[in-house]
Amino acid sequence: MGIEKLTNAMRKVLPLKKCGAVIVAAGSASRMGGIDKMMAPIGGEPMIVHTVRAFQNCDAIRQIVVVTRQDLILPIMDLCHQFDKVQCVMVGGNTRPDSVEIGLNALSADMKLVAVQDGARPLITGAVIDRTVRAAHTYGAAAPAVPVKDTVKVVKGGVVESTPDRSTLQAVQTPQVFDADLLRGALAKAKADKAQITDDCSAVELMGMSVKIVEGDERNIKVTTPMDLKIAEILWEEMQ
């Protein structure tokens, strides 16, 4: 039996490791023009509710921790009472990696995998969550991504320096799912090295580990600006 067939056969036999989710909703929303995006309505419900509900409804997720700002603790706790997988709602740190670490440490010790999700990606689907968790179960680290459509330029000083081959570029989304101990070690090393990491995959990559890429979803956008919020509302309506 070939390696790939053997791996697939083992995945069918071995039970899926328990996976907890850390939903990071602690950002300042500085580009939202005064709109508090976590509480901004999409389809009549706050954005954060859509994000949490997707993980609540996914069988691959056993437990959820939401990490947010101090001023949102009580409102989000109130909203999360309807979700029995939510273990707690906690105040985040000064940086995103700090917030992820806080959420990771709040998960039960038997959560061997951890899915880190942007709270501002309210259109995440159960299908994307499930296939990313299953890939992390096999490979130790996985993330969804979609091919880049635009030609990307590397620019310095307002001048094009180079043009990467678009066929090699993908836009990475969340959830990014990892072996929990691997992520703990990666975040600790990144902090010790004062490394500038842009996502959790970056921390793992700095340790020389590979991240398995799975198929993402173009609707799984991150709401960063008021325009993104309008687009999310339109996409949500189409998904109903």
Side-chain angles (χ1 to χ4, degrees):
M1 181 182 289
I3 294 296
E4 184 174 352
K5 289 183 178 179
L6 179 60
T7 300
N8 289 336
M10 290 177 65
R11 286 176 62 184
K12 292 178 181 178
V13 173
L14 296 176
L16 193 63
K17 296 174 185 175
K18 290 184 179 180
C19 182
V22 174
I23 298 179
V24 184
S28 62
S30 58
R31 287 176 282 180
M32 285 298 294
I35 301 171
D36 192 329
K37 63 183 179 181
M38 287 301 125
M39 305 301 288
I42 295 176
E45 292 185 298
M47 181 189 303
I48 189 62
V49 171
H50 292 279
T51 307
V52 176
R53 181 180 289 124
F55 285 80
Q56 169 73 28
N57 292 341
C58 181
D59 291 341
I61 300 299
R62 303 292 190 91
Q63 195 176 92
I64 301 168
V65 171
V66 181
V67 185
T68 190
R69 305 193 312 266
Q70 177 69 58
D71 60 302
L72 289 180
I73 283 288
L74 292 179
I76 291 182
M77 284 180 65
D78 186 55
L79 291 169
C80 286
H81 283 157
Q82 62 187 297
F83 304 122
D84 62 9
K85 289 183 183 178
V86 175
Q87 175 89 347
C88 58
V89 179
M90 306 188 69
V91 177
N94 294 325
T95 66
R96 189 180 186 282
D98 288 342
S99 294
V100 172
E101 189 172 17
I102 288 169
L104 178 58
N105 290 336
L107 289 172
S108 299
D110 60 344
M111 297 296 124
K112 300 305 182 184
L113 297 174
V114 57
V116 183
Q117 169 72 7
D118 295 323
R121 291 187 187 269
L123 305 181
I124 180 63
T125 64
V128 173
I129 298 170
D130 184 81
R131 63 174 164 260
T132 311
V133 171
R134 291 183 182 280
H137 172 85
T138 300
Y139 297 97
V146 293
V148 172
K149 294 179 180 179
D150 296 328
T151 296
V152 177
K153 303 287 185 180
V154 177
V155 178
K156 289 189 177 180
V159 177
V160 173
E161 187 174 79
S162 63
T163 305
D165 179 359
R166 187 173 61 187
S167 67
T168 67
L169 301 177
Q170 296 209 24
V172 177
Q173 304 175 335
T174 64
Q176 297 178 2
V177 188
F178 310 92
D179 176 273
D181 288 336
L182 170 63
L183 183 57
R184 286 189 184 93
L187 291 174
K189 187 176 188 306
K191 182 183 290 187
D193 294 346
K194 295 182 169 55
Q196 297 297 314
I197 58 175
T198 56
D199 66 353
D200 303 291
C201 286
S202 299
V204 170
E205 291 160 20
L206 287 173
M207 295 184 70
M209 299 294 294
S210 297
V211 177
K212 177 66 175 177
I213 293 298
V214 301
E215 182 184 358
D217 190 327
E218 291 185 350
R219 299 169 300 182
N220 184 24
I221 65 171
K222 185 177 182 181
V223 176
T224 304
T225 66
M227 179 62 73
D228 295 333
L229 185 59
K230 293 178 181 178
I231 293 170
E233 179 77 30
I234 293 169
L235 291 172
W236 180 84
E237 290 176 357
E238 291 180 349
M239 293 169 69
Q240 301 315 298

